[in-house]
Amino acid sequence: MLAFMLATALAAPVGLRRLADVDAVDLGSAAKFAVLSKAGISTVPPSAITGDIGVSPISAAAITGFSLVKHSDETYSEAWQVTGKVYASDYTSPTPSEMTTAISDMETAYTNAAGRTTSTETDEQSYVDVKAGLIGGTTFTPGVYTWGTDILFDTDFTISGGLTDVFIFQTTGNVKAGSGAKIILLGGALAKNIVWQVAGFVDAGTTSHLEGIFLVKSFASFKTKSTLNGQVFAQTAVTLDSTTITLA
């Protein structure tokens, strides 16, 4: 029995054994949003968003391409491209104060993720500047990873872990996904436990597929027929082009 237990432990991926205790990033009241922006959300139809979207402090005029229809109580709007509600800072109370809180919680989450300590390097796993940011073909196990460069992938890469494992990817640069490149989840890893703290911008190429919560200091651009399983929170604008976003 002891020999079996030792063999099992040795066979387990190092990252999965050591880093299961990485804490999740609390999104607060922002958690219900699929897309949240301080400067606007635009779409080239048809996009398909499952989850709420919202803007603040900018007004609903900065939500373009959605053909918004305001609800009778004027606290939110609806749109045929959104399976959820659309909120803006200039809607009827209590929406303005709720949006102020959601944006504050979004910024707090960004700061929280940016402040996480990078996981300790081992002979088996690196957590700093993995592949100099060119991460196509890489498999990531749970932990906190950091880059002082852009994160780029023109080919698929994998995030592998269990249902409760947390992954935090920090970069002082941008995240760029090439056309058709995909993030693949294995072993039960969930998008809601994957956080991208991006000091620059996010650029999702045509037909690319992203997974996780993107906390973006600048803008997020999703090119034609790109998809996201997760959430995108941008401190400037979000632009979509026949994009599918599903709140995870």
Side-chain angles (χ1 to χ4, degrees), residues 194-246:
I194 301 167
V195 174
W196 300 81
Q197 177 266 314
V198 185
F201 62 80
V202 170
D203 184 9
T206 58
T207 70
S208 63
H209 175 72
L210 306 184
E211 295 272 354
I213 302 163
F214 286 80
L215 305 174
V216 189
K217 187 70 171 179
S218 184
F219 66 87
S221 174
F222 289 82
K223 301 293 183 7
T224 308
K225 295 186 178 180
S226 56
T227 60
L228 166 64
N229 183 40
Q231 296 159 279
V232 56
F233 299 160
Q235 296 188 34
T236 59
V238 177
T239 60
L240 313 173
D241 186 346
S242 301
T243 299
T244 298
I245 297 178
T246 304

Short mmCIF file of all heavy atoms in Angstrom, two decimals, residues 194-246:
data_model
loop_
_atom_site.label_atom_id
_atom_site.label_comp_id
_atom_site.label_asym_id
_atom_site.label_seq_id
_atom_site.Cartn_x
_atom_site.Cartn_y
_atom_site.Cartn_z
N ILE A 194 -9.54 30.78 -13.85
CA ILE A 194 -8.38 31.22 -14.63
C ILE A 194 -8.44 32.73 -14.77
O ILE A 194 -9.41 33.28 -15.31
CB ILE A 194 -8.36 30.57 -16.02
CG1 ILE A 194 -8.33 29.04 -15.89
CG2 ILE A 194 -7.18 31.07 -16.84
CD1 ILE A 194 -8.63 28.32 -17.19
N VAL A 195 -7.45 33.43 -14.25
CA VAL A 195 -7.45 34.90 -14.26
C VAL A 195 -6.24 35.42 -15.02
O VAL A 195 -5.10 34.99 -14.78
CB VAL A 195 -7.44 35.46 -12.82
CG1 VAL A 195 -7.29 36.98 -12.83
CG2 VAL A 195 -8.70 35.05 -12.08
N TRP A 196 -6.50 36.35 -15.94
CA TRP A 196 -5.46 37.02 -16.71
C TRP A 196 -5.40 38.47 -16.27
O TRP A 196 -6.36 39.21 -16.46
CB TRP A 196 -5.77 36.94 -18.20
CG TRP A 196 -5.86 35.56 -18.74
CD1 TRP A 196 -6.94 34.71 -18.68
CD2 TRP A 196 -4.83 34.85 -19.44
NE1 TRP A 196 -6.64 33.52 -19.29
CE2 TRP A 196 -5.35 33.58 -19.77
CE3 TRP A 196 -3.53 35.19 -19.83
CZ2 TRP A 196 -4.61 32.64 -20.47
CZ3 TRP A 196 -2.79 34.25 -20.52
CH2 TRP A 196 -3.33 32.99 -20.83
N GLN A 197 -4.29 38.86 -15.66
CA GLN A 197 -4.09 40.26 -15.27
C GLN A 197 -3.16 40.89 -16.30
O GLN A 197 -1.99 40.56 -16.38
CB GLN A 197 -3.50 40.34 -13.85
CG GLN A 197 -3.19 41.75 -13.38
CD GLN A 197 -1.73 42.12 -13.64
OE1 GLN A 197 -0.83 41.35 -13.36
NE2 GLN A 197 -1.51 43.32 -14.17
N VAL A 198 -3.74 41.78 -17.11
CA VAL A 198 -3.05 42.29 -18.30
C VAL A 198 -2.86 43.81 -18.17
O VAL A 198 -3.83 44.57 -18.20
CB VAL A 198 -3.87 41.98 -19.57
CG1 VAL A 198 -3.08 42.40 -20.81
CG2 VAL A 198 -4.22 40.50 -19.64
N ALA A 199 -1.61 44.23 -18.04
CA ALA A 199 -1.33 45.66 -17.87
C ALA A 199 -1.50 46.44 -19.17
O ALA A 199 -1.67 47.66 -19.15
CB ALA A 199 0.09 45.86 -17.33
N GLY A 200 -1.45 45.74 -20.30
CA GLY A 200 -1.65 46.38 -21.59
C GLY A 200 -3.03 46.08 -22.14
O GLY A 200 -4.04 46.31 -21.48
N PHE A 201 -3.08 45.53 -23.35
CA PHE A 201 -4.35 45.23 -24.00
C PHE A 201 -4.45 43.75 -24.35
O PHE A 201 -3.47 43.01 -24.31
CB PHE A 201 -4.54 46.09 -25.26
CG PHE A 201 -3.50 45.86 -26.33
CD1 PHE A 201 -3.59 44.77 -27.20
CD2 PHE A 201 -2.44 46.74 -26.49
CE1 PHE A 201 -2.63 44.56 -28.19
CE2 PHE A 201 -1.48 46.55 -27.48
CZ PHE A 201 -1.58 45.45 -28.32
N VAL A 202 -5.67 43.33 -24.72
CA VAL A 202 -5.93 41.98 -25.20
C VAL A 202 -6.38 42.07 -26.65
O VAL A 202 -7.26 42.86 -26.98
CB VAL A 202 -7.01 41.27 -24.35
CG1 VAL A 202 -7.44 39.97 -25.02
CG2 VAL A 202 -6.51 41.01 -22.95
N ASP A 203 -5.78 41.24 -27.51
CA ASP A 203 -6.14 41.19 -28.92
C ASP A 203 -6.39 39.74 -29.30
O ASP A 203 -5.46 38.94 -29.38
CB ASP A 203 -5.01 41.78 -29.77
CG ASP A 203 -5.35 41.85 -31.25
OD1 ASP A 203 -6.53 41.61 -31.60
OD2 ASP A 203 -4.45 42.14 -32.05
N ALA A 204 -7.67 39.40 -29.48
CA ALA A 204 -8.05 38.04 -29.85
C ALA A 204 -8.24 37.98 -31.36
O ALA A 204 -9.14 38.61 -31.91
CB ALA A 204 -9.34 37.64 -29.14
N GLY A 205 -7.39 37.22 -32.03
CA GLY A 205 -7.43 37.14 -33.49
C GLY A 205 -8.67 36.46 -34.02
O GLY A 205 -9.45 35.86 -33.27
N THR A 206 -8.89 36.54 -35.31
CA THR A 206 -10.07 35.94 -35.93
C THR A 206 -10.15 34.45 -35.61
O THR A 206 -9.16 33.73 -35.65
CB THR A 206 -10.03 36.12 -37.46
OG1 THR A 206 -8.84 35.53 -37.97
CG2 THR A 206 -10.06 37.60 -37.83
N THR A 207 -11.35 34.03 -35.23
CA THR A 207 -11.70 32.64 -34.88
C THR A 207 -10.89 32.07 -33.72
O THR A 207 -10.91 30.87 -33.49
CB THR A 207 -11.60 31.69 -36.10
OG1 THR A 207 -10.23 31.50 -36.47
CG2 THR A 207 -12.41 32.21 -37.28
N SER A 208 -10.16 32.91 -33.00
CA SER A 208 -9.43 32.41 -31.83
C SER A 208 -10.41 32.12 -30.70
O SER A 208 -11.55 32.60 -30.69
CB SER A 208 -8.38 33.43 -31.37
OG SER A 208 -9.01 34.64 -30.95
N HIS A 209 -9.96 31.32 -29.72
CA HIS A 209 -10.80 30.98 -28.58
C HIS A 209 -10.02 31.17 -27.29
O HIS A 209 -8.95 30.60 -27.11
CB HIS A 209 -11.29 29.54 -28.66
CG HIS A 209 -12.07 29.13 -27.45
ND1 HIS A 209 -13.35 29.59 -27.19
CD2 HIS A 209 -11.74 28.33 -26.39
CE1 HIS A 209 -13.78 29.09 -26.05
NE2 HIS A 209 -12.81 28.33 -25.54
N LEU A 210 -10.58 31.97 -26.37
CA LEU A 210 -9.95 32.26 -25.09
C LEU A 210 -10.77 31.66 -23.95
O LEU A 210 -11.98 31.48 -24.06
CB LEU A 210 -9.83 33.77 -24.88
CG LEU A 210 -9.11 34.58 -25.97
CD1 LEU A 210 -9.00 36.04 -25.54
CD2 LEU A 210 -7.75 33.99 -26.28
N GLU A 211 -10.09 31.40 -22.86
CA GLU A 211 -10.72 30.87 -21.64
C GLU A 211 -10.24 31.68 -20.45
O GLU A 211 -9.05 31.95 -20.31
CB GLU A 211 -10.33 29.39 -21.42
CG GLU A 211 -10.84 28.42 -22.48
CD GLU A 211 -12.22 27.87 -22.18
OE1 GLU A 211 -12.75 28.16 -21.08
OE2 GLU A 211 -12.77 27.17 -23.04
N GLY A 212 -11.18 32.07 -19.57
CA GLY A 212 -10.79 32.72 -18.33
C GLY A 212 -11.38 34.11 -18.16
O GLY A 212 -12.16 34.60 -18.98
N ILE A 213 -10.96 34.73 -17.07
CA ILE A 213 -11.38 36.08 -16.70
C ILE A 213 -10.25 37.03 -17.07
O ILE A 213 -9.16 36.95 -16.50
CB ILE A 213 -11.69 36.17 -15.20
CG1 ILE A 213 -12.77 35.15 -14.81
CG2 ILE A 213 -12.11 37.58 -14.81
CD1 ILE A 213 -12.83 34.89 -13.31
N PHE A 214 -10.52 37.94 -17.98
CA PHE A 214 -9.49 38.87 -18.44
C PHE A 214 -9.70 40.22 -17.77
O PHE A 214 -10.68 40.93 -18.03
CB PHE A 214 -9.53 39.00 -19.97
CG PHE A 214 -8.98 37.80 -20.67
CD1 PHE A 214 -9.76 36.65 -20.82
CD2 PHE A 214 -7.67 37.79 -21.13
CE1 PHE A 214 -9.23 35.51 -21.44
CE2 PHE A 214 -7.14 36.66 -21.75
CZ PHE A 214 -7.92 35.53 -21.90
N LEU A 215 -8.76 40.57 -16.89
CA LEU A 215 -8.75 41.85 -16.19
C LEU A 215 -7.73 42.73 -16.90
O LEU A 215 -6.53 42.52 -16.78
CB LEU A 215 -8.37 41.65 -14.72
CG LEU A 215 -9.23 40.64 -13.94
CD1 LEU A 215 -8.66 40.42 -12.55
CD2 LEU A 215 -10.68 41.13 -13.85
N VAL A 216 -8.22 43.72 -17.65
CA VAL A 216 -7.40 44.41 -18.63
C VAL A 216 -7.29 45.90 -18.28
O VAL A 216 -8.30 46.59 -18.14
CB VAL A 216 -7.99 44.25 -20.04
CG1 VAL A 216 -7.02 44.78 -21.09
CG2 VAL A 216 -8.33 42.79 -20.32
N LYS A 217 -6.06 46.37 -18.16
CA LYS A 217 -5.84 47.77 -17.81
C LYS A 217 -6.20 48.70 -18.96
O LYS A 217 -6.66 49.82 -18.75
CB LYS A 217 -4.36 47.97 -17.44
CG LYS A 217 -4.03 49.36 -16.90
CD LYS A 217 -4.61 49.56 -15.51
CE LYS A 217 -4.10 50.84 -14.87
NZ LYS A 217 -4.67 51.07 -13.54
N SER A 218 -6.00 48.23 -20.18
CA SER A 218 -6.29 49.04 -21.35
C SER A 218 -7.54 48.50 -22.05
O SER A 218 -8.55 48.29 -21.41
CB SER A 218 -5.07 49.06 -22.29
OG SER A 218 -5.29 49.91 -23.38
N PHE A 219 -7.46 48.24 -23.36
CA PHE A 219 -8.64 47.82 -24.11
C PHE A 219 -8.58 46.32 -24.43
O PHE A 219 -7.54 45.68 -24.31
CB PHE A 219 -8.77 48.62 -25.41
CG PHE A 219 -7.66 48.35 -26.41
CD1 PHE A 219 -7.75 47.31 -27.33
CD2 PHE A 219 -6.53 49.16 -26.44
CE1 PHE A 219 -6.74 47.07 -28.24
CE2 PHE A 219 -5.51 48.93 -27.36
CZ PHE A 219 -5.61 47.88 -28.26
N ALA A 220 -9.73 45.80 -24.88
CA ALA A 220 -9.82 44.42 -25.34
C ALA A 220 -10.49 44.40 -26.70
O ALA A 220 -11.59 44.94 -26.85
CB ALA A 220 -10.60 43.56 -24.35
N SER A 221 -9.84 43.78 -27.67
CA SER A 221 -10.35 43.71 -29.03
C SER A 221 -10.54 42.25 -29.43
O SER A 221 -9.59 41.46 -29.38
CB SER A 221 -9.37 44.39 -29.99
OG SER A 221 -9.77 44.22 -31.34
N PHE A 222 -11.76 41.91 -29.81
CA PHE A 222 -12.08 40.55 -30.25
C PHE A 222 -12.42 40.60 -31.73
O PHE A 222 -13.42 41.18 -32.13
CB PHE A 222 -13.25 40.00 -29.43
CG PHE A 222 -12.89 39.68 -28.01
CD1 PHE A 222 -12.87 40.68 -27.04
CD2 PHE A 222 -12.57 38.38 -27.63
CE1 PHE A 222 -12.53 40.40 -25.73
CE2 PHE A 222 -12.23 38.09 -26.31
CZ PHE A 222 -12.20 39.10 -25.37
N LYS A 223 -11.55 39.98 -32.53
CA LYS A 223 -11.71 40.03 -33.98
C LYS A 223 -12.81 39.07 -34.45
O LYS A 223 -13.41 38.34 -33.66
CB LYS A 223 -10.37 39.69 -34.65
CG LYS A 223 -9.22 40.65 -34.27
CD LYS A 223 -9.47 42.03 -34.80
CE LYS A 223 -8.36 43.04 -34.53
NZ LYS A 223 -7.12 42.61 -33.95
N THR A 224 -13.03 39.04 -35.76
CA THR A 224 -14.16 38.34 -36.36
C THR A 224 -14.25 36.87 -35.93
O THR A 224 -13.29 36.11 -36.06
CB THR A 224 -14.07 38.40 -37.89
OG1 THR A 224 -13.92 39.76 -38.30
CG2 THR A 224 -15.32 37.82 -38.53
N LYS A 225 -15.42 36.54 -35.37
CA LYS A 225 -15.76 35.17 -34.96
C LYS A 225 -14.84 34.61 -33.88
O LYS A 225 -14.72 33.39 -33.72
CB LYS A 225 -15.83 34.23 -36.16
CG LYS A 225 -16.95 34.59 -37.13
CD LYS A 225 -17.09 33.58 -38.25
CE LYS A 225 -18.25 33.95 -39.16
NZ LYS A 225 -18.42 32.99 -40.28
N SER A 226 -14.20 35.47 -33.12
CA SER A 226 -13.46 35.02 -31.94
C SER A 226 -14.45 34.66 -30.84
O SER A 226 -15.61 35.10 -30.85
CB SER A 226 -12.50 36.10 -31.46
OG SER A 226 -13.21 37.31 -31.20
N THR A 227 -14.00 33.85 -29.90
CA THR A 227 -14.88 33.41 -28.81
C THR A 227 -14.15 33.48 -27.48
O THR A 227 -12.92 33.35 -27.41
CB THR A 227 -15.38 31.96 -29.04
OG1 THR A 227 -14.27 31.07 -29.12
CG2 THR A 227 -16.19 31.86 -30.33
N LEU A 228 -14.94 33.65 -26.42
CA LEU A 228 -14.41 33.67 -25.05
C LEU A 228 -15.36 32.92 -24.16
O LEU A 228 -16.56 33.23 -24.11
CB LEU A 228 -14.25 35.11 -24.55
CG LEU A 228 -14.03 35.29 -23.04
CD1 LEU A 228 -12.72 34.66 -22.58
CD2 LEU A 228 -14.07 36.77 -22.66
N ASN A 229 -14.83 31.95 -23.43
CA ASN A 229 -15.56 31.30 -22.36
C ASN A 229 -15.03 31.90 -21.06
O ASN A 229 -13.94 31.55 -20.61
CB ASN A 229 -15.33 29.79 -22.38
CG ASN A 229 -16.13 29.07 -21.32
OD1 ASN A 229 -17.28 29.39 -21.07
ND2 ASN A 229 -15.52 28.09 -20.68
N GLY A 230 -15.79 32.86 -20.52
CA GLY A 230 -15.30 33.57 -19.34
C GLY A 230 -15.85 34.98 -19.29
O GLY A 230 -17.03 35.22 -19.57
N GLN A 231 -14.98 35.93 -18.95
CA GLN A 231 -15.39 37.32 -18.77
C GLN A 231 -14.27 38.24 -19.22
O GLN A 231 -13.09 37.87 -19.14
CB GLN A 231 -15.70 37.60 -17.29
CG GLN A 231 -16.88 36.81 -16.75
CD GLN A 231 -16.86 36.70 -15.23
OE1 GLN A 231 -16.16 35.86 -14.68
NE2 GLN A 231 -17.62 37.54 -14.56
N VAL A 232 -14.63 39.45 -19.67
CA VAL A 232 -13.62 40.45 -19.99
C VAL A 232 -14.02 41.76 -19.34
O VAL A 232 -15.12 42.28 -19.55
CB VAL A 232 -13.41 40.61 -21.52
CG1 VAL A 232 -14.72 40.94 -22.24
CG2 VAL A 232 -12.35 41.65 -21.80
N PHE A 233 -13.11 42.28 -18.51
CA PHE A 233 -13.30 43.54 -17.80
C PHE A 233 -12.19 44.49 -18.23
O PHE A 233 -11.01 44.25 -17.92
CB PHE A 233 -13.24 43.34 -16.29
CG PHE A 233 -14.29 42.41 -15.73
CD1 PHE A 233 -14.10 41.82 -14.49
CD2 PHE A 233 -15.45 42.12 -16.42
CE1 PHE A 233 -15.05 40.97 -13.95
CE2 PHE A 233 -16.42 41.26 -15.89
CZ PHE A 233 -16.22 40.69 -14.65
N ALA A 234 -12.54 45.56 -18.93
CA ALA A 234 -11.53 46.47 -19.47
C ALA A 234 -11.68 47.85 -18.86
O ALA A 234 -12.79 48.37 -18.73
CB ALA A 234 -11.66 46.56 -20.99
N GLN A 235 -10.54 48.45 -18.52
CA GLN A 235 -10.56 49.79 -17.95
C GLN A 235 -10.61 50.87 -19.02
O GLN A 235 -10.68 52.05 -18.70
CB GLN A 235 -9.38 49.96 -16.99
CG GLN A 235 -9.48 49.01 -15.80
CD GLN A 235 -8.45 49.26 -14.72
OE1 GLN A 235 -8.07 50.38 -14.46
NE2 GLN A 235 -7.99 48.20 -14.08
N THR A 236 -10.58 50.47 -20.30
CA THR A 236 -10.97 51.38 -21.38
C THR A 236 -12.11 50.70 -22.16
O THR A 236 -13.14 50.42 -21.58
CB THR A 236 -9.78 51.79 -22.27
OG1 THR A 236 -9.19 50.62 -22.87
CG2 THR A 236 -8.72 52.51 -21.47
N ALA A 237 -11.94 50.40 -23.44
CA ALA A 237 -13.06 49.92 -24.25
C ALA A 237 -12.93 48.44 -24.61
O ALA A 237 -11.85 47.87 -24.59
CB ALA A 237 -13.16 50.75 -25.53
N VAL A 238 -14.09 47.86 -24.98
CA VAL A 238 -14.16 46.49 -25.49
C VAL A 238 -14.80 46.56 -26.88
O VAL A 238 -15.88 47.13 -27.03
CB VAL A 238 -14.99 45.58 -24.58
CG1 VAL A 238 -15.11 44.17 -25.19
CG2 VAL A 238 -14.37 45.50 -23.19
N THR A 239 -14.14 45.97 -27.88
CA THR A 239 -14.70 45.92 -29.21
C THR A 239 -14.88 44.47 -29.64
O THR A 239 -14.00 43.64 -29.44
CB THR A 239 -13.81 46.65 -30.24
OG1 THR A 239 -12.51 46.05 -30.28
CG2 THR A 239 -13.64 48.12 -29.85
N LEU A 240 -16.03 44.19 -30.24
CA LEU A 240 -16.40 42.84 -30.66
C LEU A 240 -16.75 42.84 -32.14
O LEU A 240 -17.26 43.82 -32.67
CB LEU A 240 -17.62 42.35 -29.86
CG LEU A 240 -17.60 42.54 -28.33
CD1 LEU A 240 -18.95 42.15 -27.74
CD2 LEU A 240 -16.47 41.74 -27.71
N ASP A 241 -16.50 41.70 -32.78
CA ASP A 241 -16.85 41.55 -34.19
C ASP A 241 -17.36 40.13 -34.41
O ASP A 241 -16.58 39.19 -34.50
CB ASP A 241 -15.62 41.83 -35.08
CG ASP A 241 -15.94 41.83 -36.56
OD1 ASP A 241 -17.03 41.36 -36.94
OD2 ASP A 241 -15.10 42.29 -37.34
N SER A 242 -18.68 40.01 -34.42
CA SER A 242 -19.30 38.67 -34.53
C SER A 242 -18.68 37.72 -33.52
O SER A 242 -18.33 36.58 -33.82
CB SER A 242 -19.13 38.12 -35.95
OG SER A 242 -19.71 38.99 -36.90
N THR A 243 -18.56 38.22 -32.30
CA THR A 243 -17.88 37.51 -31.21
C THR A 243 -18.87 36.80 -30.30
O THR A 243 -19.95 37.34 -30.03
CB THR A 243 -17.04 38.51 -30.39
OG1 THR A 243 -16.06 39.09 -31.23
CG2 THR A 243 -16.37 37.83 -29.21
N THR A 244 -18.51 35.63 -29.84
CA THR A 244 -19.32 34.91 -28.87
C THR A 244 -18.62 34.91 -27.52
O THR A 244 -17.47 34.47 -27.41
CB THR A 244 -19.54 33.44 -29.32
OG1 THR A 244 -20.24 33.43 -30.56
CG2 THR A 244 -20.36 32.67 -28.29
N ILE A 245 -19.30 35.42 -26.49
CA ILE A 245 -18.79 35.42 -25.12
C ILE A 245 -19.80 34.77 -24.21
O ILE A 245 -20.97 35.15 -24.19
CB ILE A 245 -18.49 36.86 -24.63
CG1 ILE A 245 -17.40 37.50 -25.50
CG2 ILE A 245 -18.07 36.85 -23.16
CD1 ILE A 245 -17.07 38.93 -25.12
N THR A 246 -19.36 33.77 -23.48
CA THR A 246 -20.24 33.03 -22.59
C THR A 246 -19.71 33.13 -21.16
O THR A 246 -18.58 32.71 -20.88
CB THR A 246 -20.33 31.54 -22.99
OG1 THR A 246 -20.75 31.46 -24.36
CG2 THR A 246 -21.30 30.79 -22.10
#
